[in-house]
Amino acid sequence: MKLSKLVIAAAVVAAGASSVTTSAFAQAKEQFFPLLSYRTGPYAPNGVPWANGKQDYIKMINARDGGINGVKLTFEECETGYATDRGVECYERLKSRPGVSLFDPQATGITFALTEKAPVDKIPLMTLGYGLSVAQDGQAFKWNFPYMGSYWTGADILIQHIGKANGGLDKLKGKKIALVYHDSPFGKEPIPLLQERAKMHGFELQMLPVTAPGVEQKATWLQVRQSRPDYVLLWGWGVMNSTALKEAQATGYPRDKMYGVWWAGAEPDVRDVGDGAKGYNALALNTSGQQPKVIQDILKNVHDKGQGTGPKDEVGSVLYTRGVIIQMLAVEAVRRAQERFGKGKVMTGEQVRWGMENLALDQKKLDALGFKDVMRPLSTSCADHMGSTWARVHTWDGKKFNFSSDWYQADEQILKPMVKAGADKYLADKKMTRRDAADCQS
């Protein structure tokens, strides 16, 4: 496990030596970010750029800004291999570090395991675009923050998009939609929303689980060939995605009738398939490319100085950019907490949790942070721990992804009752109650 301490040269000078001792580090004002990652195993092709984006953003904030109002950012990366037990071990090992801010588990299974631990340890969980869909309800899930969307919002947007392509949601009656999904908590999350939409619009939902990690899918695609669904939704991650596209090509299923979740719509998923994936569609939470100012700042302040975490040509890719967004939101949560609890101070997990619950990143703020056109504005509250329920569709042309839709917002009329019912059931099962108004201000 790799420990990376990030301090600027001024700290070294202040220490009065060419190297900084352990005691000097202990006395420094440092906000610690534990980074759970998976650089090994079948999910590494997707996990690596995600992790690299997070590290590079931390390095950039230290190099460009000197930290957050003078508080340096430090991190330690811990390899989980996407395994729940190893993720919990990483959490237990890192949670007591001084200045710990929050955890991004990087896996729905790990999130499930940590959801009961976080309130006890008073450390928030950020699960951007994954995790528990019902955790959008911040009055029930005080410590969970599924920023920018859940698998319910993603599934809802895909059905909206398919409905629009057919001339209206009413035209979905009698259609068959297959869900090819990773047989794990991650893959099962969209099922309740899809079942609700199927009941509303009269389409048949076929569910085809794929055993993790997803390198063997021949039986699944034989079922697809036999049942000939009108559309296939791909809820995959890592090697499962490229395998699915190769099997679709082999069985003759049209890739332009396939729609992936935002974890099945990045360069590693399609690069090796090339023209064989042409026409494949997936959700997108963010843009890609090296044009945005934040990416230029990372190149200038980190990679051009030889301090990049990964290869330079990876910078700005879909998942790398998502890692940058995740770390930006973590940094801004700390900055927001400092506004209330003391600028230039190291924030506790409880204080960071308040910052996460009170983020207000409008377009003007995003532009100032260098994220113009990269993502949608995000604003959270006690009632809403998601902050944004928007996504677009992009399509692979054989060489790159191009946006093929405008932004969609998930239908809150469908989602809110489901979220509340799910959250109420969770509270009842755990013999817990909703937060009151006073707690929302705490």
Side-chain angles (χ1 to χ4, degrees):
M1 296 177 185
K2 181 182 176 184
L3 173 64
S4 298
K5 282 284 189 179
L6 304 175
V7 292
I8 59 173
V12 178
V13 174
S18 60
S19 62
V20 183
T21 65
T22 304
S23 61
F25 273 129
Q27 294 165 8
K29 291 197 300 183
E30 297 176 348
Q31 192 76 50
F32 177 67
F33 291 93
L35 302 183
L36 273 57
S37 63
Y38 32 93
R39 297 181 178 276
T40 61
Y43 306 102
N46 300 69
V48 168
W50 188 1
N52 290 347
K54 292 169 68 174
Q55 278 202 31
D56 281 356
Y57 191 78
I58 291 175
K59 293 175 181 177
M60 189 272 287
I61 291 295
N62 278 338
R64 188 192 68 185
D65 303 342
I68 307 172
N69 296 314
V71 177
K72 298 294 169 280
L73 311 186
T74 63
F75 64 85
E76 181 176 344
E77 194 167 282
C78 190
E79 174 68 33
T80 71
Y82 197 71
T84 297
D85 57 347
R86 291 174 67 185
V88 172
E89 288 173 8
C90 286
Y91 172 85
E92 292 292 346
R93 189 172 69 79
L94 298 176
K95 69 180 183 181
S96 299
R97 289 288 299 273
V100 68
S101 50
L102 58 89
F103 276 85
D104 167 22
Q106 288 203 317
T108 296
I110 300 174
T111 301
F112 279 30
L114 297 184
T115 292
E116 290 188 46
K117 292 177 176 290
V120 177
D121 298 323
K122 300 190 183 306
I123 302 172
L125 305 177
M126 185 197 299
T127 59
L128 188 147
Y130 70 95
L132 287 79
S133 300
V134 294
Q136 180 178 3
D137 186 345
Q139 291 177 314
F141 292 86
K142 181 175 180 176
W143 298 90
N144 292 62
F145 292 85
Y147 284 161
M148 292 177 64
S150 69
Y151 295 133
W152 287 3
T153 68
D156 185 83
I157 287 169
L158 283 179
I159 297 302
Q160 286 189 51
H161 182 72
I162 292 170
K164 185 177 180 180
N166 280 271
L169 288 165
D170 59 309
K171 301 297 193 298
L172 295 183
K173 187 172 183 179
K175 301 280 188 186
K176 182 183 292 184
I177 299 176
L179 174 68
V180 176
Y181 67 96
H182 194 275
D183 194 10
S184 67
F186 150 60
K188 295 173 183 176
E189 266 292 296
I191 291 174
L193 187 285
L194 292 171
Q195 290 173 328
E196 180 66 22
R197 279 285 196 178
K199 186 170 62 177
M200 291 173 63
H201 309 304
F203 63 82
E204 179 186 344
L205 179 64
Q206 180 183 17
M207 290 182 285
L208 301 173
V210 172
T211 302
V215 292
E216 177 49 63
Q217 297 183 42
K218 292 190 182 302
T220 301
W221 288 93
L222 178 60
Q223 288 180 273
V224 171
R225 186 168 65 182
Q226 290 172 340
S227 62
R228 302 187 65 80
D230 296 283
Y231 298 94
V232 168
L233 305 184
L234 178 61
W235 233 262
W237 185 229
V239 71
M240 175 180 164
N241 297 329
S242 58
T243 302
L245 287 164
K246 289 173 183 175
E247 291 293 347
Q249 182 182 18
T251 56
Y253 189 82
R255 268 69 75 206
D256 62 355
K257 298 296 184 182
M258 294 177 65
Y259 289 86
V261 67
W262 41 65
W263 301 117
E267 295 87 357
D269 304 317
V270 291
R271 189 182 293 121
D272 293 342
V273 191
D275 284 341
K278 194 172 181 179
Y280 170 66
N281 313 280
L283 288 172
L285 290 171
N286 53 271
T287 59
S288 59
Q290 295 190 346
Q291 299 82 13
K293 184 179 183 300
V294 63
I295 300 299
Q296 289 296 312
D297 284 352
I298 288 172
L299 290 169
K300 176 183 176 182
N301 292 282
V302 181
H303 279 264
D304 288 353
K305 296 179 180 179
Q307 297 171 359
T309 311
K312 192 171 184 177
D313 61 4
E314 170 199 77
V315 177
S317 62
V318 171
L319 290 172
Y320 179 96
T321 301
R322 197 163 302 156
V324 168
I325 290 171
I326 290 169
Q327 200 55 51
M328 177 274 286
L329 292 172
V331 167
E332 292 310 305
V334 172
R335 195 187 311 277
R336 181 75 177 96
Q338 284 189 7
E339 291 174 7
R340 178 177 180 182
F341 300 105
K343 189 174 287 189
K345 294 182 178 180
V346 177
M347 294 292 101
T348 66
E350 284 185 276
Q351 292 167 337
V352 174
R353 191 215 65 79
W354 183 91
M356 295 178 75
E357 190 170 89
N358 291 275
L359 277 182
L361 300 178
D362 59 13
Q363 193 58 58
K364 183 178 179 181
K365 179 66 172 175
L366 288 176
D367 291 355
L369 290 169
F371 286 79
K372 183 178 182 180
D373 299 327
V374 173
M375 58 182 282
R376 294 281 303 197
L378 181 144
S379 181
T380 54
S381 66
C382 179
D384 177 19
H385 276 195
M386 191 170 289
S388 173
T389 61
W390 297 77
R392 286 183 286 187
V393 175
H394 62 183
T395 302
W396 180 249
D397 69 4
K399 293 182 174 59
K400 65 183 187 304
F401 278 107
N402 301 293
F403 288 109
S404 50
S405 84
D406 201 348
W407 289 99
Y408 287 94
Q409 185 175 26
D411 191 336
E412 290 292 314
Q413 288 188 312
I414 298 172
L415 286 166
K416 280 188 175 179
M418 290 183 63
V419 168
K420 186 177 187 305
D424 284 344
K425 183 179 186 305
Y426 179 89
L427 292 173
D429 290 346
K430 303 297 180 183
K431 296 181 171 53
M432 297 165 60
T433 57
R434 287 185 168 273
R435 299 165 62 191
D436 57 24
D439 188 65
C440 280
Q441 297 303 315
S442 63

